Amino acid sequence: MKFFTALYPPQHVIDELDAVLDRSLDVEWTKPEKWHITLCFHGETADEERFKALEGHEVPEIRLQNFGDFRGRVLWAGIHGDLNQLARAAGANDNWWAHLTVAYGYQGQPMPEFLGSPWQPTEAVLVSSVDGVHTPVARVGLRTSARH
């Protein structure tokens, strides 16, 4: 079992991203219901006190924007908006990069320009992952411009 802290996009953001992906590409697409932004990988155990301390942490407005890849194999949607402070508070290290993984086995196929609708995550989720099955373990509310 491995743990991570994640932000899940709202359904309209998932729908926008899904609509621009060319499903005919020969890649292993991740499932939209699993799409998330990982703030921090915890490994085999989670620092639950650190996770709980995220409660009420301020979060900026963000958008999904364009695409990139890791090692020429992992395709991701980029994040427009600064999540660095929130990720560091969750425990991320200096190698952390804000992204949402959409496919594996990517080989440089052209991707469209993309700018999704703005949104503010209202919660962070502590997730356990076992054999690719993601299970929410805990949730904390985040402070948005609408929740002061």
Side-chain angles (χ1 to χ4, degrees):
M1 179 181 312
K2 299 203 185 267
F3 292 92
F4 61 91
T5 297
L7 303 175
Y8 285 90
Q11 190 61 50
H12 73 277
V13 171
I14 290 170
D15 293 343
E16 288 174 353
L17 176 58
D18 199 30
V20 301
L21 298 176
D22 180 355
R23 297 295 183 156
S24 70
L25 293 178
D26 185 23
V27 297
E28 180 186 338
W29 296 103
T30 57
K31 295 179 179 167
E33 61 269 17
K34 291 175 76 175
W35 285 348
H36 64 276
I37 301 165
T38 301
L39 291 177
C40 177
F41 288 105
H42 300 284
E44 299 296 321
T45 59
D47 183 343
E48 292 191 43
E49 290 306 311
R50 186 171 203 160
F51 177 76
K52 289 177 187 174
L54 292 176
E55 180 75 44
H57 200 285
E58 188 171 357
V59 65
E61 183 176 87
I62 60 176
R63 295 172 173 232
L64 299 180
Q65 182 178 16
N66 294 325
F67 298 92
D69 66 89
F70 291 126
R71 298 176 305 281
R73 305 287 299 152
V74 178
L75 177 66
W76 47 259
I79 309 300
H80 176 79
D82 188 0
L83 291 173
N84 286 322
Q85 186 178 17
L86 184 61
R88 297 296 182 259
N93 64 30
D94 290 341
N95 295 325
W96 179 83
W97 180 265
H99 69 283
L100 186 152
T101 300
V102 294
Y104 297 97
Y106 174 71
Q107 298 175 4
Q109 298 95 326
M111 298 303 295
E113 296 245 342
F114 175 65
L115 182 62
S117 296
W119 58 285
Q120 282 188 290
T122 57
E123 66 179 7
V125 182
L126 180 61
V127 180
S128 73
S129 178
V130 179
D131 297 327
V133 176
H134 296 175
T135 305
V137 174
R139 299 172 188 271
V140 293
L142 300 172
R143 189 178 68 212
T144 66
S145 55
R147 286 179 53 190
H148 284 285

